[in-house]
Amino acid sequence: MAALRGAFTALVTPMNDDGSVNFDGWRELVKYQLDGGIDGLVPLGTTAETPTLDEDGEEDKIIEIVMEEVKAFEKKSGKHVPVILGSGSNNTRDAVRYCKRAKEAGADAALVVTPYYNKPSDEGIFRHFEAVSRVGIPIVVYNIQGRTGRNISTALLKRIAELPNIAGVKEASGNVSQMMDVIAEIKHKKSDFAVFSGDDSLTLPLLSLGGDGVVSVVSNLAPALVTEMVHDALSGKWDEARALHYRLLPFFKAAFVDGNPTSIKYAMNVKKLPAGAVRLPLVEVSAEAKKVIENAMAECGLL
């Protein structure tokens, strides 16, 4: 299995003005990430507006393009860029099917979110991950209570981590104490268990505690800077990493000022990257939010 470590981008899905997927723009954004030195890519996650995408006509084409571009880049550069394909659902049968799709596409891992809306018990969550673990592709657990209504406690995650093919966790609980417990109680006993930050602003704190990287929203706009910060931290260059963290901190906040991916898409459009519109029920950021985003971009040197 490819090492899951470093800066990974939770990619947006670019849209045309009529709301259709901009596949040419998608190819351009993937190349922008690869040229920016990103360590890995995460298509079809939350930031991709995946719940609004059609499986056959849109998601399959998105997968086809990203795998095509990554393979071409790898052939040219000799560098492997892992792809963690979003494969979550609140329907376990669909999550299993999406994980099989990720495996067949040649993805390195599947990102599987806690089942949302259903609000299952701990036993239900465990059995959900038990089902996807049987597919035979490495699974990254995605813990984000704010979107799912359920936190995966460290005790539950320890149990899940004992299943075959569980490769790590994207920790978006926002709870640094919980992240420390995950590293102390799981990663210290299973060294290849990757612990990623799911919050850009908590990346450096998590890395200082022994985490492995970030699944970043901000790197949609600034892949080189986010990657540099993560690499500096992983190599022990704490002064340099801290300087980049504080440089980017205003935008870490602004990138979520009016929701995700609405805020990051607006910033990308300002930068002339082909992010485009969002699909309902999401709407364009407010005029006030636009000012906050533009001011933060200017302050961070991203304009």
Side-chain angles (χ1 to χ4, degrees):
M1 184 186 79
L4 299 179
R5 203 162 194 249
F8 286 61
T9 298
L11 291 153
V12 304
T13 300
M15 305 286 184
N16 295 306
D17 290 341
D18 64 0
S20 61
V21 174
N22 178 358
F23 292 111
D24 289 338
W26 171 244
R27 192 179 295 276
E28 182 180 336
L29 291 180
V30 172
K31 289 180 178 179
Y32 176 71
Q33 291 295 315
L34 296 170
D35 291 342
I38 202 71
D39 294 309
L41 299 174
V42 185
L44 299 182
T46 303
T47 306
E49 301 174 76
T50 304
T52 71
L53 299 175
D54 296 330
E55 284 186 36
D56 297 333
E58 295 178 334
E59 292 184 13
D60 287 349
K61 185 68 173 177
I62 284 168
I63 295 169
E64 177 187 332
I65 291 171
V66 72
M67 297 309 297
E68 182 180 298
E69 290 299 328
V70 166
K71 287 174 183 176
F73 177 82
E74 290 177 343
K75 185 176 181 180
K76 177 179 67 176
S77 68
K79 174 189 173 183
H80 180 57
V81 180
V83 175
I84 304 175
L85 194 60
S87 303
S89 174
N90 64 338
N91 181 335
T92 302
R93 288 177 297 177
D94 282 344
V96 168
R97 183 163 56 87
Y98 296 149
C99 288
K100 288 179 178 177
R101 178 179 67 175
K103 184 180 180 181
E104 290 167 2
D108 295 88
L111 180 68
V112 179
V113 71
T114 316
Y116 43 87
Y117 189 76
N118 314 62
K119 288 185 138 180
S121 65
D122 281 4
E123 184 63 25
I125 293 172
F126 174 80
R127 293 190 186 186
H128 180 84
F129 283 100
E130 183 180 44
V132 296
S133 74
R134 294 193 185 110
V135 171
I137 186 173
I139 302 294
V140 176
V141 177
Y142 182 11
N143 182 31
I144 180 164
Q145 182 177 5
R147 287 188 181 270
T148 66
R150 289 286 279 111
N151 177 53
I152 298 180
S153 67
T154 304
L156 177 56
L157 187 61
K158 282 176 68 176
R159 189 178 172 205
I160 293 169
E162 293 172 357
L163 292 166
N165 302 311
I166 302 298
V169 63
K170 177 185 175 184
E171 241 300 338
S173 66
N175 186 333
V176 174
S177 178
Q178 177 167 314
M179 295 176 190
M180 286 192 292
D181 288 342
V182 167
I183 292 170
E185 298 182 32
I186 301 175
K187 186 172 177 61
H188 284 174
K189 297 172 184 176
K190 186 180 178 183
S191 60
D192 60 349
F193 184 84
V195 182
F196 287 102
S197 174
D199 298 286
D200 278 287
S201 62
L202 293 180
T203 302
L204 187 60
L206 179 64
L207 290 170
S208 74
L209 296 167
D212 293 283
V214 62
V215 178
S216 172
V217 170
V218 167
S219 58
N220 275 284
L221 182 71
L225 287 174
V226 173
T227 301
E228 183 181 357
M229 181 188 75
V230 171
H231 286 191
D232 282 345
L234 289 173
S235 61
K237 298 178 181 177
W238 294 110
D239 288 344
E240 293 89 338
R242 191 179 302 112
L244 282 167
H245 168 81
Y246 282 111
R247 173 184 169 181
L248 291 170
L249 185 58
F251 191 67
F252 286 162
K253 298 176 181 179
F256 299 89
V257 68
D258 201 5
N260 179 49
T262 48
S263 300
I264 190 64
K265 274 194 161 185
Y266 178 73
M268 293 170 74
N269 290 330
V270 169
K271 195 70 173 176
K272 306 301 181 186
L273 291 168
V278 291
R279 282 183 175 173
L280 286 171
L282 300 181
V283 295
E284 187 179 19
V285 294
S286 67
E288 182 180 351
K290 289 178 181 179
K291 293 178 183 177
V292 172
I293 293 166
E294 291 173 15
N295 289 340
M297 290 174 70
E299 184 177 352
C300 298
L302 296 174
L303 278 178

